[in-house]
Amino acid sequence: MRSRAAVALWSVFGVTALVSAALVLRRPAAERLSDLHIYYGAVRQLQAGGGLYSYVAENGGPFTYPPFAAILLGPVGLLSETTVQFGWLTATGAAVVVIAVALGRTGVFPAHRRQVAVAATACVLLLSAPVQSNLRFGQVSIFLVALAFVDGLALTPARVRGALIGLAAAVKLTPLIFVVYLLVAGRWRDAARSVAVFVGCALAAAVALPAESRTFWTAAMFDTSRIGNLASLGNHSVHGMLLRLGVPADTLPLLWATLVAVVCGVALLRARQLCHDGRSTHAVVLVGCASVAASPVSWTHHQIWPVLAAMLLVGARGVAQRVAGGGLLAVLVLSLGVLLSRVSPTPGAQFVFENARTVGTVALCLVGFGGVAVAAAGALPASRRRGSARAVVAVVAALTVVAVQPLPAGADPTFKAYTGADLDNPRYFFVCRSEPQCGALGAAARPIVFGLATERTKVRVNGVVDGSVARLEYRSAPGGPPRAVPLVEAYPGQRLFSFRSATLSYGRLVAYDAGGAPIATYTEFRSG
């Protein structure tokens, strides 16, 4: 018999799901379920005889998944896009329920509170930023998490275990890390089924779509520019953080590979121990978190695994675990880089705030569910607890060192300056859209007049310069290299400029005259 509290929470879930879907559907058509629009358009073009990877949506987004994903998505191309949108939103809500129910079947909740805990889990998941991002963009991530979670927990019949992980990997390669988990956990047959299903799906796609398969496996898979700006603050992976840190291009691959090997190695070894200790739920979630940290790109909608980890910590015994879980959950819900930008004492501190989700996920992989968590519950001998405490101190000390440092000179690869080829894009050139408007701004008694457009992961600056300005330069951080900002002649005698940066908190825009002398410097950016 279902408790009143559980019924109330499921009612809250239903209302929240309806409101969330309504808000998504009320968005302008160009912004509504934009990723789903890419899937839909690419599949329709493929069914019409066009190329899958030559498709580009109105927002510039291409299809980035293996060709088998297009086969799996084939039925959506036979329906109207509106019908697909309603169905996708409904399926996303259903996937949240599947994850919550699967978690309830693992025994992590006391039997007498299981119904309430499952309903509460569904509500928290639905309200979390990653699931809301899945709803907003019409993303496939939530379904892949559900497949890997259910299969990793061995909730499927024994004869097909591993198949769902293989299917998820055939749609997106990241879940392949769970095959390694199955191996280290001693689930050899399940791992074999995963590989067999993955290879079988790829071969089926190669037979059905030979040209697209060749394009993906030889070219598209390695073209990271198709995914988007990997240095964006929206990319919460280790790779994204290193790009924002300004690591030199010749050093980045080796450093990234080393860090990924350490994070995944530690997480997988700890996952094996957790599995053998009967804590397979924690093991699967930990491996999922490692996939988020290790992937070249981890947008917000990928971060369902850290949300699950945070909830497991909050629901655990021990103050340390609950505090850690609450902190991680707060980081995953709030944008610390935006909220704390005005009180950041140093550029390094701002960098830590902006990359808090990455740091939290990596910390979870290295010490969460591991020595620190177990020590809090008193399950380790004193010597190992002291070692865990030293690990915590080391992490805090490392973050403190970073926080007091200036940003590296190469930081902010998000920076981009726009040229005349971008003049027609109102996202880049927005302060004036006609010759009289620009002329009026240019006639102001100042060398530069500009406006700002703040987005979730970047800030855009667009303005007009007068005749005294011959050159513009922008520095993202003290000591950083000067970045040239082109002056674009939009109308006769009227010059505009536009650029974007991850943050303007420590930026410096300098205007020079024809002789090279600085005539105006801006360090506090406000429109006008």
Side-chain angles (χ1 to χ4, degrees):
M1 186 174 179
R2 204 165 272 192
S3 70
R4 291 182 179 180
V7 171
L9 285 170
W10 281 119
S11 299
V12 170
F13 176 86
V15 172
T16 304
L18 288 173
V19 171
S20 299
L23 292 175
V24 169
L25 294 172
R26 287 188 61 187
R27 296 177 66 84
E31 302 176 11
R32 186 187 311 144
L33 296 153
S34 54
D35 286 349
L36 178 59
H37 178 71
I38 294 173
Y39 308 157
Y40 183 79
V43 168
R44 290 288 292 264
Q45 178 168 293
L46 180 64
Q47 292 173 343
L52 180 63
Y53 298 104
S54 62
Y55 174 80
V56 178
E58 294 84 347
N59 63 2
F63 189 82
T64 59
Y65 298 97
F68 179 77
I71 295 176
L72 208 60
L73 291 166
V76 308
L78 306 177
L79 305 171
S80 69
E81 188 166 8
T82 300
T83 301
V84 172
Q85 289 175 345
F86 277 98
W88 198 274
L89 291 172
T90 302
T92 299
V96 173
V97 174
V98 168
I99 294 171
V101 171
L103 189 61
R105 293 184 60 185
T106 62
V108 296
F109 303 129
H112 66 285
R113 297 167 57 185
R114 185 172 302 154
Q115 292 183 359
V116 174
V118 169
T121 298
C123 289
V124 173
L125 271 176
L126 183 61
L127 289 169
S128 69
V131 172
Q132 287 294 314
S133 183
N134 272 268
L135 287 166
R136 176 184 173 185
F137 292 105
Q139 251 292 328
V140 73
S141 301
I142 184 73
F143 306 116
L144 304 182
V145 170
L147 291 173
F149 191 51
V150 170
D151 211 2
L153 294 175
L155 297 178
T156 52
R159 64 182 180 278
V160 296
R161 284 175 190 164
L164 295 184
I165 289 174
L167 180 63
V171 174
K172 186 177 181 179
L173 302 180
T174 309
L176 284 173
I177 191 174
F178 286 95
V179 178
V180 183
Y181 163 69
L182 295 177
L183 290 172
V184 299
R187 294 169 57 181
W188 303 98
R189 292 183 178 180
D190 297 352
R193 291 189 196 96
S194 293
V195 173
V197 170
F198 171 72
V199 173
C201 291
L203 290 176
V207 172
L209 302 171
E212 281 69 24
S213 294
R214 183 168 54 253
T215 298
F216 177 80
W217 295 107
T218 62
M221 182 176 70
F222 304 101
D223 185 2
T224 55
S225 66
R226 295 172 57 85
I227 303 173
N229 177 25
L230 301 190
S232 163
L233 288 173
N235 181 8
H236 304 291
S237 68
V238 171
H239 186 239
M241 185 172 69
L242 292 176
L243 286 171
R244 290 187 291 274
L245 192 58
V247 175
D250 56 346
T251 305
L252 178 63
L254 179 58
L255 178 60
W256 175 53
T258 302
L259 291 176
V260 165
V262 171
V263 169
C264 290
V266 171
L268 286 165
L269 288 174
R270 177 57 184 154
R272 180 180 66 176
Q273 183 183 15
L274 288 167
C275 182
H276 291 164
D277 291 344
R279 302 173 66 192
S280 60
T281 306
H282 293 72
V284 172
V285 171
L286 183 57
V287 174
C289 290
S291 73
V292 171
S295 174
V297 56
S298 292
W299 305 122
T300 300
H301 53 76
H302 295 143
Q303 293 190 302
I304 299 167
W305 293 111
V307 174
L308 290 171
M311 288 193 290
L312 288 174
L313 287 170
V314 169
R317 288 179 297 176
V319 175
Q321 293 184 82
R322 292 176 178 176
V323 171
L328 181 59
L329 199 58
V331 164
L332 292 166
V333 171
L334 304 174
S335 180
L336 298 187
V338 175
L339 291 176
L340 303 178
S341 61
R342 295 191 178 278
V343 296
S344 300
T346 65
Q350 178 65 16
F351 181 85
V352 171
F353 294 149
E354 289 171 347
N355 294 274
R357 292 180 180 179
T358 307
V359 172
T361 303
V362 170
L364 184 83
C365 291
L366 297 179
V367 297
F369 299 153
V372 173
V374 175
L380 286 178
S383 61
R384 291 184 64 186
R385 273 181 265 170
R386 286 194 296 270
S388 299
R390 286 195 291 269
V392 174
V393 172
V395 170
V396 173
L399 291 176
T400 303
V401 170
V402 173
V404 300
Q405 298 299 315
L407 284 178
D412 190 21
T414 297
F415 176 87
K416 181 179 179 180
Y418 298 99
T419 66
D422 304 304
L423 268 174
D424 292 334
N425 193 323
R427 289 184 66 197
Y428 307 154
F429 291 88
F430 50 83
V431 297
C432 57
R433 299 296 299 166
S434 67
E435 187 171 356
Q437 280 183 316
C438 294
L441 290 176
R446 284 175 289 175
I448 302 176
V449 178
F450 60 84
L452 307 179
T454 302
E455 300 181 10
R456 187 174 180 83
T457 59
K458 65 182 76 71
V459 181
R460 301 187 188 277
V461 182
N462 174 216
V464 181
V465 301
D466 68 11
S468 65
V469 178
R471 179 166 56 92
L472 279 181
E473 285 184 350
Y474 177 74
R475 285 176 167 84
S476 299
R483 305 171 188 264
V485 180
L487 300 177
V488 180
E489 187 164 351
Y491 307 103
Q494 298 176 8
R495 294 172 299 156
L496 309 181
F497 69 92
S498 179
F499 65 91
R500 73 182 186 201
S501 179
T503 174
L504 301 177
S505 300
Y506 304 97
R508 186 182 187 88
L509 180 65
V510 182
Y512 298 89
D513 63 17
I519 56 176
T521 300
Y522 298 87
T523 56
E524 294 187 8
F525 291 86
R526 298 182 180 89
S527 297

